Amino acid sequence: MLRKNWGEASVCEAQLHAQPNALKHSFRAGEVLADARGRTIYIYNCGDDSIDQLSCDHPADTQVYRLAICGGGDPLVCAQRWPYVVADAGASSTSRAWAPRWIDPATGRFAAAGATDALFVWTYRDRPVYTYALDAQPGDVHGGGIGEWRGMR
């Protein structure tokens, strides 16, 4: 089975269909996954070169470092630059890797289902996936390599 590399994780080709509306785009740097509009899907992977960065990519952990990198500490700026890939109401997945989860965009942490201002977003291995505001057309990968963000390959 063909495998696609995404940072340190690999995603089987069959799993592309487990996350609804996932598309593949080929471009000079390789293939990436995209949302239904053709925008590249990114994941945030924390580095571990400082104590503040340890485990900061999981919504159960501190999001201070991610929010500082993507929005200068402002969650609204972060949400504008790196919008979550929002799941349709009632969305589900047959994959163990992909699942929709409730996220509080003000904190970046998990939220209770239906909580005020919470978003129902797609996650890959429990980590939210994002698009990048400056990706203007299908196949753009302008967000790849900015800080700790990587396009899903």
Side-chain angles (χ1 to χ4, degrees), residues 87-99:
D88 292 333
S92 64
S93 175
T94 58
S95 168
R96 290 185 297 182
W98 289 98

Side-chain angles (χ1 to χ4, degrees), residues 48-69:
D48 60 1
D49 55 348
S50 77
I51 194 68
D52 292 341
Q53 289 180 275
L54 296 175
S55 301
C56 69
D57 55 355
H58 193 279
D61 297 318
T62 182
Q63 297 291 298
V64 173
Y65 185 76
R66 182 186 63 82
L67 293 171
I69 294 298

Side-chain angles (χ1 to χ4, degrees), residues 138-151:
D140 281 355
V141 289
H142 300 299
I146 293 178
E148 310 285 345
W149 275 269
R150 303 292 178 257

